[in-house]
């Protein structure tokens, strides 16, 4: 499990390589087949006929979900924490940061691979059968004049779309995420309808997600693995571009799309996280730790450490070794 996973303890009881699917309300939910290289847990709910919901948390780098390729089923996926990406069937890859919402038909993501570039992620997913809603619409949606076929035409025509993090989306999802377990089904019924009304009222659809080719993301993952395994060394963008056969612009834009930050910012935080571990777990001197994470000057290391950890290295060691 990822050392930085916020819910590593909560998932410790799940066998490695497994995704545990639970149905807290006891109601039947859509069948789900999932695999992962880490651990995962999904709470599945049947909200209405035609609407299923799932709360997922993962400590993993990848997961695969298999389901039917149904063009009339709209998949809505909200990223609560970490980063979530898909290698879609069309050969493109799309990524979500915290607070982003993706929209695409289930035909777009059937037998696709989901990735968690930070080693962990949590999210809320809704599967909405727009054909079923057109035939039997919940009372609140029907009273508002909701048109399921219009939503299908807007978002299920092929490709993936995204609404970036916004106060409006936070207002919809935050109460749902805070709801106590016994009230979660009720909040799902309310919030799923609120979300559908919100999307239905959006004009002009939603902006397309930034797409990158799956082949490019695979190369960037190799760049990432190389960098985090050589924290004691410094590499320029040009060095990495030559070594991994990516032009510099593609390398920079794809890395940011996958990991959510420019390479320099991400690596500064990665170096400090490793330094924090060394301060907690070893008796190495501050100077030796600075060198181990790629800082020639102890002064520069101390400044970078304080920027990220909000404490001096000596203070951090004293607090976490006590």
């Amino acid at each position: 499990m990822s050392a930085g996973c916020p819910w590593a303890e909560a998932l410790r009881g799940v066998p490695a390589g497994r995704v545990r699917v639970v149905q807290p309300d006891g109601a039947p939910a859509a069948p789900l087949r999932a695999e992962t290289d880490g651990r995962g847990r999904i709470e599945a709910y049947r909200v209405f006929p035609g609407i299923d919901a799932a709360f997922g948390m993962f400590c993993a780098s990848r997961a695969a979900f298999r389901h039917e390729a149904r063009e009339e089923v709209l998949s809505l996926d909200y990223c609560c924490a970490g980063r979530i990406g898909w290698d879609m069937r069309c050969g493109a890859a799309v990524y979500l940061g915290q607070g982003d919402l993706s929209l695409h038909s289930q035909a777009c993501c059937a037998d696709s691979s989901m990735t968690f570039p930070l080693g962990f992620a949590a999210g809320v997913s809704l599967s909405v059968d727009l054909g079923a809603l057109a035939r039997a619409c919940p009372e609140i949606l029907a009273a508002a004049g909701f048109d399921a076929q219009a939503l299908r035409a807007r978002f299920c025509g092929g490709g993936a779309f995204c609404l970036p993090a916004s106060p409006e989306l936070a207002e919809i999802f935050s109460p749902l995420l805070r709801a106590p377990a016994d009230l979660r089904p009720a909040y799902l019924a309310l919030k799923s309808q609120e979300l559908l009304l919100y999307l239905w009222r959006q004009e002009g659809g939603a902006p397309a997600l930034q797409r990158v080719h799956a082949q490019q993301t695979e190369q960037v993952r190799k760049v990432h693995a190389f960098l985090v395994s050589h924290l004691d060394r410094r590499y320029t963008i040009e060095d990495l571009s030559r070594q991994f056969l990516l032009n510099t612009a593609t390398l920079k834009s794809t890395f940011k799309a996958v990991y959510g930050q420019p390479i320099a910012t991400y690596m500064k935080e990665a170096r400090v996280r490793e330094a924090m571990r060394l301060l907690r777990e070893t008796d190495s001197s501050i100077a030796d730790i600075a060198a181990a994470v790629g800082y020639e000057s102890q002064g520069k290391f101390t400044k970078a450490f304080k920027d990220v950890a909000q404490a001096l290295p000596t203070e951090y060691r004293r607090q976490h070794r006590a």
Side-chain angles (χ1 to χ4, degrees), residues 99-113:
D100 294 341
L101 176 75
S102 73
L103 311 91
H104 53 266
S105 77
Q106 282 194 349
C108 198
C109 63
D111 292 319
S112 63
S113 174

Side-chain angles (χ1 to χ4, degrees), residues 88-103:
M88 296 288 186
R89 299 180 80 190
C90 60
V94 293
Y95 288 85
L96 297 176
Q98 184 172 333
D100 294 341
L101 176 75
S102 73
L103 311 91

Side-chain angles (χ1 to χ4, degrees), residues 44 53 66 124 253 262 268 301:
R66 293 181 174 85
V124 181
S253 64
K268 177 180 178 180
F301 166 70

Side-chain angles (χ1 to χ4, degrees), residues 20-31:
R20 179 169 292 165
V21 181
V22 297
Q23 295 169 219
D25 59 358

Side-chain angles (χ1 to χ4, degrees), residues 14 58 62 69 94 102 107 115 131 151 163 171 203 205 215 264 268-269 281 302 308-309 322:
V14 179
F58 289 85
R62 291 178 180 269
V94 293
S102 73
T115 60
L151 206 64
L163 289 175
E171 286 175 6
E203 296 183 1
Q215 184 177 2
K268 177 180 178 180
E269 294 186 5
E281 299 178 8
T302 298
V308 175

Side-chain angles (χ1 to χ4, degrees), residues 25 27-30 44-54 70 73 125-142 146 184-197:
D25 59 358
Y45 296 84
R46 169 62 50 86
V47 184
F48 292 109
I51 302 180
D52 291 290
R70 300 179 61 192
V73 177
S125 298
L126 289 175
S127 296
V128 183
D129 187 332
L130 295 171
L133 286 191
R135 295 187 296 272
C137 192
E139 184 177 349
I140 292 176
L141 294 179
F146 175 78
R184 187 165 278 180
Y187 270 91
L188 277 169
L190 292 171
K191 291 298 181 177
S192 62
Q193 293 181 88
E194 183 180 354
L195 178 61
L196 289 173
L197 285 175

Side-chain angles (χ1 to χ4, degrees), residues 107-318:
C108 198
C109 63
D111 292 319
S112 63
S113 174
M114 182 179 284
T115 60
F116 311 115
L118 303 184
F120 66 89
V124 181
S125 298
L126 289 175
S127 296
V128 183
D129 187 332
L130 295 171
L133 286 191
R135 295 187 296 272
C137 192
E139 184 177 349
I140 292 176
L141 294 179
F146 175 78
D147 186 344
Q149 295 300 345
L151 206 64
R152 177 179 177 179
R154 192 177 301 169
F155 296 119
C156 292
F161 303 87
C162 178
L163 289 175
S166 67
E168 292 81 7
L169 287 176
E171 286 175 6
I172 293 172
F173 282 95
S174 294
L176 177 58
L177 298 174
R178 294 195 305 266
D182 59 332
L183 293 180
R184 187 165 278 180
Y187 270 91
L188 277 169
L190 292 171
K191 291 298 181 177
S192 62
Q193 293 181 88
E194 183 180 354
L195 178 61
L196 289 173
L197 285 175
Y198 175 75
L199 295 174
W200 177 58
R201 295 295 300 274
Q202 293 292 305
E203 296 183 1
L209 276 165
Q210 179 183 358
R211 294 189 182 196
V212 288
H213 292 294
Q215 184 177 2
Q216 293 172 349
T217 65
E218 192 57 39
Q219 284 296 93
V220 162
R221 290 184 194 118
K222 292 178 181 178
V223 172
H224 173 268
F226 176 78
L227 288 173
V228 297
S229 64
H230 295 85
L231 292 177
D232 60 328
R233 304 177 192 176
R234 298 277 179 163
Y235 297 92
T236 67
I237 296 293
E238 290 72 21
D239 293 336
L240 298 169
S241 177
R242 285 192 296 270
Q243 182 170 342
F244 291 92
L245 304 179
L246 286 168
N247 70 55
T248 56
T250 298
L251 172 57
K252 290 190 288 187
S253 64
T254 305
F255 192 100
K256 186 174 181 180
V258 174
Y259 294 98
Q261 294 177 314
I263 294 176
T265 304
Y266 184 93
M267 290 308 300
K268 177 180 178 180
E269 294 186 5
R271 294 177 197 281
V272 170
R273 285 196 300 270
E274 175 62 8
M276 292 164 73
R277 186 190 69 79
L278 293 172
L279 287 166
R280 292 193 308 268
E281 299 178 8
T282 76
D283 294 320
S284 300
S285 69
I286 303 296
D288 286 345
I289 290 174
V293 296
Y295 286 91
E296 296 179 358
S297 160
Q298 188 172 327
K300 290 182 179 179
F301 166 70
T302 298
K303 182 180 184 307
F305 191 94
K306 188 173 182 181
D307 287 345
V308 175
Q310 303 301 306
L312 295 172
T314 51
E315 294 172 346
Y316 181 87
R317 169 171 271 173
R318 184 169 60 251

